[in-house]
Amino acid sequence: MSISYFVVFGGYLAFLTWTCLKSMKEVESLSDFTTGGHRMGLLLGIGTSVATWVSVASVMGVPGQLYRTGVAAIIGWVAGWFLATAVMPILAYKVRRPELPARTFPEFIRMRFEPFERISGLQLIVAALMLVGYFIFCHLQVVGFGIVFNTITGIQYEYAIFAFLVLLALTSLGGFWSVAATDTLNAVLILIGLAFGTGAILYASGGLGPILDAVATTTAPTNVGGEPLEPGILLSPAGTFGWSVLMGIFMSNALGASVAPHWINRFMAPRNSKAAVLQMMWTVIALIPIFLCLIVIGLGAKALLPSLPADKTTDYIMPLIVQNYAPPFVGALTLIALLAAAVSTANSMLLNCGTSLYYDLYRSLYPDRQFDDERATRHLRYSVLVLGLLSVISAIKPPVLLAMGFTYVYGAFGAAFMWPVWFGLFWKRMNRAGAYAGIIVGVAAFIAAKAMGADNPFVVGAGLSLLATLAGVFLSPAPPREAYEAYFDAEVSPSTRAVALRIRRESDHAHETHGAAPLAGEAKA
Amino acid sequence: MLIALSFWGASIAVCIVVSLYLCSRIEVSGVRRWGATGKLFRYE
């Protein structure tokens, strides 16, 4: 390991420590910890969205899938995730409309479908699903981190993953502001690191032409000793998947990711509805160069290293290729970019996991207990730390490829939440029974279809969820005005305002005194 | 390769068009709390 790795990594660690300490001082309330107090500006919003978006599933999984299945990975993962981001502004536009928005995704579901319930069953179900899903996401980031850290330091993977706890603690303990600030640096690091890495790969392979020529003709198996590939298969649109499976992956990533709860949470943080829309538009634009780099690296890797060693999965291709073909300083920058991607996504996922457990499950189940802000944020930090430790332990024996793991969770989230979220935001008639039916049937059908080996479990889950949602809606009464008004009208009735304030008060006693303040004086221009 | 890239390009184009349309809707609404400022790209 060269000295360059120590210099770059040391600088990165110093910045994370400084941001963590600063954020821990600035976080004053539960709203600050969970959504940054709904006052985030555009630049920080873009930085944190880009860094959360770019996870190990993208920076390691996508080149790995390109290496294994060819350009089909562009349709399945890259185009799928971009399409998800393309529809996100439509959701962001609505989610950030209320004067007093929800602070977490389960709370949003509660406010929209069960505003009068003291203990919301929907909030609890959604929080439990999120806890499981984000734990898996977090676990996948730890796996990615372990692979990179093992490649950089030579420390055995099983021990390397424990180093992740240090970084995770540094970025998560300060809450949303710490996550957002470190994410912005991570986004810049990812872009710089990947740009240098791409340059090194292009230089080593002789440019784009030779890469495409090699990919068009190669028959080298993915792993040494494996089955040879059909010539030209890596440049065919459906690649080694076939159209049916590929469309299943594409739709899981596109429709599932768009309603992933951590994104709905992100839409609650900006200052207003327009900032939320612009945040997602600029995020997509900022992601273009990052993904161009990943595509070149994935295909370039096949040209430079036709087959992987028999004991390595394709998730190893990125660190292997960078370490073997890039100069030490460039290699260090690129590998730090991979670490940054793992850290920036994991801290965000962990924050979601922790808030689901503490805020949406524990506090919702015990609404009469007294919680002050200081105690609540301390409890949240403990939850985050314990979940981080558990995700590290669970990653000792990783079961699935990184990109596929994301697809499963996004597919399940999409099947469960797609109709309740979309209908909830755009259809006043959408009600509580429809939400219960859609969420329960969607997730159960997705898991059953996956277990039975269906080509496209997302379509099965989402299709049955749609039928269940519509049946629930039309067989039960229309929702009260207080449930939907804030998402449709600029001016809401006093009763709607009172309901939003009551939910806030029940969840956060600090808002008993401060909650009404931001509402005063805000009116249509 | 071209087919794969066109899927990606189309997704990017959809995002930009949709975002600009939504921003213009906010401007037409005139609601300051939603970010209406009189200019398409300004939000406060």
Side-chain angles (χ1 to χ4, degrees):
Chain A
M1 186 166 64
S2 100
I3 189 79
S4 310
Y5 288 78
F6 283 109
V7 172
V8 175
F9 189 69
Y12 180 60
L13 208 59
F15 178 82
L16 292 188
T17 311
W18 175 75
T19 315
C20 175
L21 294 175
K22 197 167 179 295
S23 299
M24 281 179 82
K25 280 182 194 163
E26 283 179 11
V27 168
E28 288 174 352
S29 70
L30 201 57
S31 276
D32 286 342
F33 197 92
T34 53
T35 53
H38 312 292
R39 58 175 194 273
M40 195 164 67
L42 192 54
L43 200 61
L44 210 55
I46 296 166
T48 186
S49 297
V50 169
T52 302
W53 210 103
V54 181
S55 65
V56 291
S58 10
V59 293
M60 291 168 70
V62 167
Q65 288 292 348
L66 277 156
Y67 184 86
R68 197 160 71 95
T69 65
V71 297
I74 299 175
I75 297 178
W77 280 272
V78 181
W81 286 332
F82 268 73
L83 188 59
T85 319
V87 296
M88 280 180 197
I90 306 172
L91 295 172
Y93 168 73
K94 281 281 198 168
V95 168
R96 190 56 191 86
R97 267 191 173 191
E99 287 174 283
L100 205 58
R103 287 183 290 195
T104 64
F105 179 69
E107 190 175 74
F108 157 74
I109 293 288
R110 176 191 181 185
M111 289 171 101
R112 176 60 184 87
F113 299 114
E114 289 187 326
F116 295 110
E117 297 297 315
R118 184 136 170 77
I119 295 178
S120 162
L122 271 175
Q123 186 176 13
L124 297 176
I125 292 170
V126 172
L129 289 175
M130 278 179 69
L131 185 64
V132 175
Y134 284 107
F135 187 80
I136 297 172
F137 274 149
C138 218
H139 156 95
L140 294 171
Q141 306 303 314
V142 181
V143 175
F145 177 91
I147 291 173
V148 178
F149 209 68
N150 161 257
T151 313
I152 294 179
T153 61
I155 297 171
Q156 211 177 326
Y157 166 86
E158 286 79 4
Y159 301 114
I161 53 175
F162 281 89
F164 195 60
L165 265 184
V166 179
L167 296 181
L168 222 46
L170 284 177
T171 53
S172 305
L173 291 182
F176 190 88
W177 282 108
S178 171
V179 168
T182 49
D183 275 5
T184 305
L185 170 85
N186 285 333
V188 175
L189 270 179
I190 291 166
L191 186 57
I192 293 172
L194 290 180
F196 274 105
T198 306
I201 300 294
L202 282 171
Y203 181 76
S205 58
L208 209 52
I211 290 177
L212 290 176
D213 289 343
V215 172
T217 54
T218 187
T219 57
T222 305
N223 288 91
V224 173
E227 204 175 313
L229 295 174
E230 197 183 307
I233 189 90
L234 293 182
L235 282 188
S236 77
T240 57
F241 287 114
W243 277 107
S244 169
V245 175
L246 184 63
M247 283 299 109
I249 294 169
F250 173 73
M251 287 166 78
S252 274
N253 284 325
L255 299 172
S258 69
V259 291
H262 66 281
W263 282 116
I264 307 289
N265 270 14
R266 279 283 183 274
F267 307 152
M268 295 166 190
R271 280 178 200 172
N272 54 44
S273 189
K274 198 188 208 178
V277 170
L278 287 172
Q279 170 181 307
M280 296 322 296
M281 185 186 85
W282 288 115
T283 295
V284 157
I285 293 169
L287 286 168
I288 296 170
I290 292 176
F291 275 81
L292 278 175
C293 291
L294 292 174
I295 291 169
V296 172
I297 291 173
L299 296 176
K302 191 68 187 172
L304 289 170
L305 184 69
S307 294
L308 278 165
D311 62 333
K312 298 280 187 201
T313 67
T314 49
D315 289 333
Y316 275 85
I317 192 65
M318 182 79 166
L320 276 178
I321 207 80
V322 165
Q323 212 178 33
N324 289 335
Y325 292 96
F329 188 71
V330 172
L333 270 180
T334 313
L335 291 177
I336 292 298
L338 303 193
L339 288 186
V343 171
S344 61
T345 306
N347 59 16
S348 184
M349 302 299 176
L350 208 54
L351 192 64
N352 279 290
C353 216
T355 42
S356 298
L357 180 67
Y358 179 70
Y359 184 82
D360 293 302
L361 280 172
Y362 177 64
R363 289 183 59 149
S364 299
L365 279 171
Y366 301 102
D368 296 323
R369 289 197 182 167
Q370 292 294 312
F371 299 96
D372 59 49
D373 267 347
E374 196 184 329
R375 204 170 143 209
T377 46
R378 194 172 62 239
H379 286 176
L380 251 173
R381 286 188 176 115
Y382 292 150
S383 311
V384 164
L385 266 185
V386 170
L387 288 166
L389 181 65
L390 290 176
S391 64
V392 168
I393 292 169
S394 73
I396 291 173
K397 292 278 173 213
V400 290
L401 288 176
L402 296 172
M404 283 315 289
F406 260 64
T407 303
Y408 297 151
V409 180
Y410 275 146
F413 278 163
F417 302 137
M418 188 161 76
W419 306 116
V421 169
W422 280 97
F423 286 161
L425 289 171
F426 291 93
W427 188 26
K428 290 180 182 176
R429 182 70 173 76
M430 178 65 189
N431 64 10
R432 180 188 179 201
Y436 267 107
I439 291 171
I440 293 169
V441 171
V443 77
F446 179 87
I447 293 169
K450 184 72 209 148
M452 288 190 282
D455 270 357
N456 201 333
F458 171 76
V459 168
V460 177
L464 290 176
S465 171
L466 174 62
L467 293 177
T469 304
L470 292 176
V473 169
F474 289 116
L475 294 174
S476 58
R481 188 177 55 176
E482 289 82 358
Y484 61 78
E485 202 180 17
Y487 299 98
F488 290 86
D489 302 320
E491 296 294 329
V492 297
S493 60
S495 60
T496 300
R497 187 177 297 218
V499 164
L501 279 170
R502 180 182 54 75
I503 290 175
R504 272 282 170 122
R505 266 198 297 272
E506 282 171 8
S507 320
D508 182 352
H509 288 269
H511 281 267
E512 208 157 10
T513 48
H514 302 302
L519 300 173
E522 287 183 345
K524 193 170 174 172
Chain B
M1 182 85 179
L2 254 174
I3 295 174
L5 288 176
S6 61
F7 265 80
W8 185 29
S11 303
I12 296 166
V14 168
C15 182
I16 295 170
V17 170
V18 164
S19 301
L20 293 179
Y21 170 70
L22 292 171
C23 286
S24 68
R25 285 275 299 261
I26 291 170
E27 285 307 321
V28 169
S29 77
V31 181
R32 276 174 48 196
R33 184 169 54 77
W34 292 349
T37 57
K39 289 188 177 166
L40 198 61
F41 289 101
R42 279 191 61 190
Y43 62 94
E44 62 177 358

